[in-house]
Amino acid sequence: MSISVKLDHVKKQFGDFTAVHDLELEIADGEFFSMLGPSGCGKTTTLRMIAGFEQPTSGELYIMGQPVAGIPAYRRPVNTVFQNYALFPHMTVAQNVAFGLEMAKVPKPEIEKRVKDALALVQMSPMSERKPSQLSGGQQQRVALARALVNRPKVLLLDEPLGALDLKLRKAMQLELKQIQSDVGITFIYVTHDQEEAMTMSNRIAVMSNGYVQQIGSPREIYEHPQNRFVADFIGETNFLEGKVEEVNGVVKLAVGNSHVIGRSDQELSLGQKAYLAIRPEKINMYPPGKVTVRDIELDAEQIADVFGGRVPSGPFDIKQVLKQEHESMYVNGNVAEAIYIGTDTRYRVTILGDQQLFVRTQNFGDRYDTTFEVGDEVLLHWPAENARILTE
Amino acid sequence: MSATTFPGRSAAARPSTRSRLQATFNKRALLWLAIGLFLFLYIPILILIIYSFNDSSQIGLWAGFSLRWYGELFRNQAVLDALKLSLWVALWSTLISTFLGTLTALALERHNFWGKITYDAILYLPVIIPDIVMALSTLLFFVVLGVALSKYTILIAHVAFNISFVAIVVRARLADMNSTLEEAAADLGANEWQSFRRVTLPLLMPGIISGALLAFTLSLDDFVITFFVAGPGSTTLPVRVYSMIRFGLTPEVNAVSTLMFLGSTLLVIISLVLQRR
Ligand SMILES: Nc1ncnc2c1ncn2[C@@H]1O[C@H](COP(=O)(O)OP(=O)(O)O)[C@@H](O)[C@H]1O
Ligand SMILES: [Mg+2]
């Protein structure tokens, strides 16, 4: 797989302010790559450096293996879909789409054909004679996409292209964009502050904050193995418990108050160091404490049978007996402080270890299967070590 | 939004009787003020127009409707010559100042250069400082350089003050125009010139035309500056009118003034309409 865009220690300063610090990126040919981060973290600046609208203060930028320093925007093999579309208001849709081809001196008949194909690709053929002001936001977005794609760029840059659309249209366009990208096979570099959008579409995501790349990885890697607190917090929802590293031995033991919790870590940790246990609300199991029957819980029947000498007990039994047997996992008692029903899930706030709060999500399967808890109920929270990450600051 | 909310139905939004009276009164007062101001401004011009159709050669005496003075006007070679010079100066000063003013606006709005802020401030000076000061300084400038006064000195002086007006009008339009359009053009492979020709210029055109019309009007109407820098025999229409008045107010002067008024009004209206677009 070849590299289409490479940023080598790229840095951008505006006066004293550093918008992008020492950026290292390699984007593969044909990849759908997203830059994700809160507003002001330097995403647009990075994109503008690739497009050629800004010059890096230092570092080197390569497109298709060629260093592009000093090459003006109009000679770079990239095209941009701007956040506000930037369609030319005095030209029709067809003229807008033809603009890039005319600049490239493509013969007239070929221009006509390619414009037609591009408009068909984004389903805008019937509107080709309209002016941009006669189009809805979603339609303008499609035209902007066609205007860029028609040039068959090596790389397409998209700066929050769906930001101005309403939720439903945005969701539909996400899937459509992804489909178009895999059809045309062009490298997409996609900027967004919407984590769900990035997760839906991308092959890989670079999570950015304050001008730094915090982590690069597939959506799954970033969600399941966040490398620091920022990433864990920014992507999805995460509970954090602060503590001191007590034991590092495959499984990490973290002292919290006068108890301890366990998780796993990819980081180098030293004993006594301050660290956080990060665990997502849906990765915590919640059980009624004390005696339960098999019907009440979601544990594997075989696993239960193992504990009770090969037979699943027909009457109530102590759930701790089962959980204790499970390899590298932990449980802790808690009290339901809040229970919010949100349709697909129920979201509980549970107090553990005296004063710590954990959010827990349980999926709603239907009345027959669900065990619901009320505020004030005693519960047992349980998670296997690999469900929780131990992170430093 | 519920379908049953009608404007004015909500009790909270209903103004008290007293404040409603107050509002009505304020609106009335404002209307009368506007009418009064309008009359104050235009009654003199209205009188001028009416008397330009007076059959009598005496100004204050109404002797019936006639186009006699308009006829006289078009037989008056001196007036026709003055009109010709006025149009010549207006046309050329408009062309030159529109070109230079547009470039100035582009430089100030789209580029950074040393001394930009100072230049920006100086640009507004001709608009602000009194005509008489402009006139004197321009005259002094020609005298110091030893340039003989002629119709060309009029042209140069007009170009000088028109550049500012054109630049200001064009720049307002440019500031409204999103500069990402130019980036989009560059992104699609247009070099600076192509981007200017295909994107910036067409979008700027209404501003440029309205600036040009303004320049044309200002040039046609200018008296003070022209009076100072005109060479012997170079008489523009306003200067000619002035010298006609010195021999007494005649209905002929009314006729020529009426025509100048109508011409300028037309140009200003076109210019305003273009700026709205
Ligand atoms: N031309 C500029 N001059 C000064 N500061 C800028 C300029 N462009 C961007 N910045 C600053 O750089 C930071 C990153 O901006 P940007 O790349 O637009 O962020 P994002 O697209 O992630 O929201 C912001 O703090 C912004 O204010
Ligand atoms: Mg941005």
Side-chain angles (χ1 to χ4, degrees):
Chain A
M1 193 157 48
S2 64
I3 301 299
S4 66
V5 174
K6 179 177 163 169
L7 278 74
D8 187 15
H9 294 286
V10 167
K11 181 174 168 182
K12 178 67 188 177
Q13 288 179 313
F14 295 108
D16 292 339
F17 176 76
T18 307
V20 174
H21 296 266
D22 205 35
L23 203 56
E24 286 280 334
L25 279 182
E26 280 191 357
I27 298 161
D29 209 8
E31 187 174 22
F32 198 122
F33 187 88
S34 289
M35 290 193 287
L36 172 66
S39 175
C41 71
K43 308 179 297 287
T44 297
T45 305
T46 308
L47 217 57
R48 288 173 60 80
M49 286 192 285
I50 301 172
F53 301 132
E54 304 278 3
Q55 302 309 316
T57 309
S58 63
E60 194 67 71
L61 217 150
Y62 303 85
I63 298 174
M64 306 311 285
Q66 300 296 314
V68 292
I71 297 183
Y74 65 87
R75 294 220 323 255
R76 295 193 183 189
V78 302
N79 284 113
T80 307
V81 176
F82 293 84
Q83 176 159 20
N84 56 6
Y85 316 133
L87 297 176
F88 305 127
H90 58 300
M91 298 183 196
T92 64
V93 165
Q95 287 167 339
N96 263 282
V97 178
F99 189 88
L101 298 175
E102 284 169 14
M103 292 302 116
K105 306 232 158 45
V106 173
K108 260 239 160 68
E110 196 190 332
I111 291 183
E112 262 170 46
K113 183 174 176 310
R114 276 168 70 175
V115 168
K116 235 173 94 188
D117 291 350
L119 286 175
L121 182 71
V122 297
Q123 298 165 22
M124 285 294 293
S125 305
M127 316 257 171
S128 65
E129 291 314 310
R130 292 210 192 166
K131 290 277 177 69
S133 58
Q134 298 167 301
L135 301 176
S136 71
Q139 292 168 335
Q140 291 185 33
Q141 212 288 314
R142 285 158 194 267
V143 176
L145 186 65
R147 185 178 71 172
L149 281 175
V150 77
N151 306 294
R152 299 180 189 149
K154 297 280 188 264
V155 180
L156 188 69
L157 309 174
L158 303 99
D159 192 357
E160 314 220 10
L162 307 182
L165 306 183
D166 61 64
L167 186 65
K168 214 161 184 175
L169 189 55
R170 199 156 73 215
K171 296 248 184 229
M173 283 300 293
Q174 284 170 9
L175 298 177
E176 219 173 297
L177 265 179
K178 178 78 191 143
Q179 186 59 47
I180 288 173
Q181 192 265 342
S182 62
D183 288 349
V184 295
I186 291 173
T187 310
F188 274 34
I189 304 181
Y190 192 96
V191 159
T192 179
H193 65 263
D194 180 340
Q195 46 125 344
E196 208 177 312
E197 191 165 293
M199 300 283 261
T200 308
M201 298 193 285
S202 320
N203 298 118
R204 282 192 309 152
I205 301 173
V207 182
M208 293 180 69
S209 111
N210 293 323
Y212 290 98
V213 168
Q214 300 290 339
Q215 187 172 351
I216 301 178
S218 68
R220 172 175 280 273
E221 277 164 3
I222 284 183
Y223 191 83
E224 303 287 343
H225 298 279
Q227 263 160 26
N228 59 38
R229 203 186 146 143
F230 175 84
V231 176
D233 205 19
F234 189 73
I235 312 288
E237 195 186 356
T238 303
N239 293 295
F240 292 102
L241 295 175
E242 189 184 325
K244 280 199 162 54
V245 178
E246 193 175 279
E247 202 179 297
V248 186
N249 178 20
V251 170
V252 180
K253 246 187 193 175
L254 200 66
V256 177
N258 34 22
S259 186
H260 70 259
V261 292
I262 64 166
R264 280 192 182 278
S265 185
D266 309 322
Q267 285 169 297
E268 289 285 320
L269 299 166
S270 46
L271 294 182
Q273 180 183 7
K274 187 173 116 177
Y276 299 89
L277 175 125
I279 187 163
R280 304 214 179 259
E282 75 275 15
K283 300 208 162 163
I284 303 173
N285 304 315
M286 194 152 104
Y287 302 111
K291 301 274 184 199
V292 293
T293 62
V294 177
R295 292 182 57 94
D296 292 338
I297 54 174
E298 289 163 27
L299 289 175
D300 186 25
E302 253 178 60
Q303 197 186 340
I304 298 170
D306 274 354
V307 178
F308 296 99
R311 227 169 21 85
V312 176
S314 52
F317 58 91
D318 189 354
I319 189 167
K320 284 185 190 168
Q321 261 179 286
V322 181
L323 297 180
K324 247 182 216 151
Q325 294 299 314
E326 208 176 317
H327 184 58
E328 292 183 349
S329 79
M330 68 164 285
Y331 58 83
V332 57
N333 281 86
N335 255 302
V336 176
E338 194 176 63
I340 299 169
Y341 171 79
I342 48 171
T344 55
D345 305 88
T346 304
R347 190 166 179 272
Y348 298 97
R349 181 159 58 85
V350 180
T351 310
I352 59 163
L353 305 175
D355 60 348
Q356 303 282 341
Q357 308 283 334
L358 282 187
F359 286 100
V360 181
R361 255 173 199 268
T362 61
Q363 204 177 340
N364 296 329
F365 292 106
D367 288 342
R368 184 184 296 198
Y369 308 103
D370 291 344
T371 318
T372 53
F373 301 92
E374 309 287 336
V375 173
D377 281 359
E378 286 225 353
V379 291
L380 201 63
L381 300 186
H382 161 259
W383 63 84
E386 69 273 12
N387 279 18
R389 314 300 308 172
I390 307 293
L391 305 171
T392 53
E393 191 63 63
Chain B
M1 207 169 71
S2 102
T4 51
T5 43
F6 294 103
R9 274 290 168 90
S10 117
R14 191 186 300 151
S16 73
T17 315
R18 197 176 144 187
S19 69
R20 231 181 325 161
L21 275 178
Q22 185 83 41
T24 316
F25 177 77
N26 284 347
K27 237 183 234 166
R28 280 263 165 84
L30 221 69
L31 183 68
W32 281 113
L33 191 69
I35 292 176
L37 213 65
F38 199 75
L39 290 177
F40 177 70
L41 283 174
Y42 286 99
I43 277 185
I45 294 175
L46 205 66
I47 291 172
L48 177 104
I49 293 175
I50 291 170
Y51 274 96
S52 72
F53 296 108
N54 191 356
D55 199 21
S56 163
S57 53
Q58 263 181 309
I59 270 286
L61 217 69
W62 182 257
F65 179 87
S66 140
L67 289 174
R68 171 181 160 199
W69 299 107
Y70 287 90
E72 296 256 325
L73 203 59
F74 287 104
R75 282 190 296 276
N76 184 336
Q77 194 54 44
V79 168
L80 291 181
D81 286 346
L83 178 66
K84 221 169 100 189
L85 182 67
S86 269
L87 289 175
W88 182 85
V89 171
L91 198 70
W92 283 107
S93 75
T94 298
L95 285 177
I96 299 168
S97 63
T98 300
F99 181 71
L100 295 177
T102 301
L103 291 187
T104 307
L106 281 167
L108 285 174
E109 195 60 36
R110 289 288 192 265
H111 295 275
N112 275 313
F113 51 88
W114 190 85
K116 175 171 161 172
I117 292 171
T118 318
Y119 193 77
D120 199 2
I122 288 174
L123 185 68
Y124 284 85
L125 272 184
V127 180
I128 299 162
I129 60 173
D131 272 4
I132 188 76
V133 177
M134 269 293 274
L136 271 172
S137 52
T138 315
L139 176 62
L140 199 66
F141 173 75
F142 288 133
V143 170
V144 167
L145 286 187
V147 178
L149 298 182
S150 65
K151 65 176 183 178
Y152 295 101
T153 48
I154 304 178
L155 178 59
I156 292 169
H158 282 208
V159 168
F161 68 75
N162 270 339
I163 287 179
S164 295
F165 286 94
V166 173
I168 288 165
V169 171
V170 173
R171 199 174 164 196
R173 177 94 190 171
L174 204 53
D176 278 348
M177 212 181 106
N178 200 337
S179 70
T180 55
L181 289 179
E182 284 149 12
E183 282 183 353
D187 188 72
L188 292 165
N191 61 30
E192 269 199 50
W193 169 246
Q194 288 168 318
S195 159
F196 178 75
R197 258 280 295 117
R198 296 285 307 268
V199 176
T200 317
L201 194 60
L203 291 173
L204 216 50
M205 223 15 142
I208 293 175
I209 292 175
S210 101
L213 287 173
L214 184 64
F216 195 79
T217 315
L218 290 172
S219 175
L220 269 188
D221 289 354
D222 179 71
F223 170 73
V224 179
I225 296 169
T226 312
F227 188 71
F228 274 69
V229 299
S234 297
T235 309
T236 62
L237 201 52
V239 177
R240 167 62 56 200
V241 170
Y242 175 73
S243 64
M244 282 160 81
I245 295 170
R246 281 198 302 184
F247 301 108
L249 276 173
T250 64
E252 205 180 352
V253 173
N254 290 348
V256 74
S257 303
T258 300
L259 290 180
M260 284 169 69
F261 170 75
L262 292 178
S264 305
T265 310
L266 191 69
L267 290 174
V268 168
I269 288 173
I270 296 174
S271 161
L272 283 178
V273 167
L274 285 172
Q275 272 180 61
R276 285 281 158 81
R277 279 227 313 239

